[in-house]
Amino acid sequence: MLKQIKGLHHVTSLARDARENNAFFTNVLGLRRVKKTVNFDAPDVYHLYYGDEAGTPGTVMTYFPFPMAGRGRKGTGEVGRTTFAIPKGTSQAWLDRLATFEVAGVSTDTRFGDKRVLFDGPDGDGFALVERDDDRMPWTGNGVAEDIAIRGFHGVDIRLRDDAATCELLGFMGYEVADKTDDLTRMIVPGGNAANTIDLEAMPNAPRADQGAGSVHHIAFAVDNRARQLEVREALLDTGYQVTPVIDRDYFYAIYFRSPGGVLFEVATNEPGFDRDEDTANLGQNLKLPSQHEHLRSRLESTLEPLGD
Ligand code: ZN
């Protein structure tokens, strides 16, 4: 069993409209935009990153906004909800805030003793705010008060027709079953960051999801550095997974592989981080391009939709 994985690093989803996406994550949820760059494989499209002040691994929600994207269809083989930690006793304040911004799909539930506020993102993305004890420092620069602000990810809920193989894989990756009901398995990675929880939801009769705007594209797991990443890569290859070579994403190094339930998994390094090419004080303001796409700057600056801030 692996010991290198420390919880989530980031979650990456698809959106339709960049401006709407930016407004939702910064104004409504109060996260900080920590990087404005492009999809390295499709540089005509933004890659927007939202998180805490520094974009600490375990806080970073990222988006590829494709202006022509159709909406995804929910189902199995995908992340059904991405969940963020909020302080205990703040659900009502968030219900009020989400109502003020006319956020869709709002409801509440309780899961394994945690109160949750469920809501939809701009493209129908599934989200929840989960009341947790969490000592991470929130970003408050966008006007959400410190006593209620989002602390970072709690985790993700993965929907599967059959959860057995994914449960086994996560066990190999260092996660342990922490709680269980008939159709729900909570897995937590011990010694990880605070984004340490994955809930597997077994939905044997549900249709498979179709990816589109509002869908999670992949989830990334955090490792400390490149040496730990290579250990994970070797172990996954030895177990029979097809894993990509290490890819330089400028702010972290990435490897990818497909999990048995269909969700694309990434393992990303905590180094070098988002202050690699701009000061922490100014993160996310200027368009940052990877060196291979720097020659496209003047075209991209005129074609990418202004974010409105
Ligand atoms: Zn990623």
Side-chain angles (χ1 to χ4, degrees):
M1 192 179 84
L2 297 173
K3 301 281 189 198
Q4 294 90 339
I5 288 169
K6 302 298 183 187
L8 291 178
H9 184 286
H10 62 270
V11 175
T12 294
S13 292
L14 305 175
R16 189 183 54 80
D17 187 80
R19 190 181 176 108
E20 181 181 49
N21 183 260
N22 180 71
F24 188 81
F25 284 91
T26 58
N27 297 342
V28 181
L29 298 187
L31 302 183
R32 185 184 197 192
R33 193 177 70 230
V34 293
K35 195 62 65 181
K36 178 165 73 170
T37 183
V38 294
N39 182 325
F40 287 14
D41 304 315
D44 288 323
V45 173
Y46 276 123
H47 194 178
L48 302 175
Y49 291 74
Y50 311 98
D52 70 358
E53 180 177 20
T56 306
T59 74
V60 183
M61 184 78 220
T62 100
Y63 273 88
F64 300 130
F66 285 90
M68 305 303 284
R71 189 170 276 203
R73 187 189 69 191
K74 294 185 186 310
T76 56
E78 69 169 356
V79 170
R81 279 187 199 281
T82 303
T83 65
F84 296 96
I86 55 170
K88 288 194 168 171
T90 63
S91 283
Q92 188 57 52
W94 275 101
L95 288 167
D96 295 344
R97 183 175 181 83
L98 297 177
T100 301
F101 285 97
E102 300 181 337
V103 171
V106 178
S107 64
T108 59
D109 72 0
T110 300
R111 177 177 282 192
F112 297 128
D114 298 332
K115 280 189 176 177
R116 308 199 308 172
V117 175
L118 315 179
F119 62 101
D120 293 345
D123 296 293
D125 331 42
F127 291 116
L129 303 170
V130 187
E131 289 196 8
R132 298 285 296 176
D133 285 322
D134 190 319
D135 59 8
R136 288 178 289 181
M137 275 296 293
W139 171 251
T140 55
N142 289 334
V144 178
E146 182 174 346
D147 59 346
I148 73 163
I150 287 171
R151 267 48 185 171
F153 291 127
H154 174 239
V156 289
D157 301 346
I158 298 179
R159 294 178 182 157
L160 299 161
R161 292 194 89 138
D162 179 349
D163 63 5
T166 301
C167 189
E168 185 179 340
L169 169 61
L170 288 169
F172 178 69
M173 292 169 66
Y175 282 75
E176 297 175 355
V177 175
D179 227 325
K180 195 167 170 43
T181 64
D182 281 352
D183 51 6
L184 187 59
T185 304
R186 169 155 293 183
M187 303 193 75
I188 292 180
V189 65
N193 61 29
N196 61 359
T197 302
I198 295 183
D199 286 350
L200 302 180
E201 301 177 350
M203 303 171 73
N205 300 313
R208 278 196 68 85
D210 249 348
Q211 206 166 71
S215 303
V216 171
H217 182 266
H218 65 268
I219 60 173
F221 296 87
V223 290
D224 285 333
N225 55 46
R226 299 187 70 186
R228 300 290 87 77
Q229 183 180 54
L230 287 176
E231 292 165 8
V232 171
R233 185 170 185 275
E234 285 301 311
L236 289 166
L237 287 169
D238 286 348
T239 311
Y241 284 95
Q242 296 198 333
V243 188
T244 67
V246 176
I247 300 170
D248 182 356
R249 295 303 190 194
D250 276 7
Y251 311 106
F252 47 86
Y253 292 87
I255 57 174
Y256 303 86
F257 64 104
R258 186 72 60 180
S259 69
V263 178
L264 183 61
F265 281 7
E266 173 183 345
V267 177
T269 56
N270 288 345
E271 58 183 20
F274 294 99
D275 61 355
R276 179 182 168 277
D277 59 358
E278 53 190 345
D279 294 339
T280 301
N282 298 307
L283 285 181
Q285 297 308 303
N286 296 314
L287 180 66
K288 292 295 175 182
L289 297 174
S291 54
Q292 67 270 30
H293 297 321
E294 191 58 54
H295 68 283
L296 302 173
R297 176 173 290 277
S298 61
R299 175 164 70 78
L300 293 175
E301 284 181 340
S302 65
T303 55
L304 287 165
E305 181 188 17
L307 296 179
D309 62 1

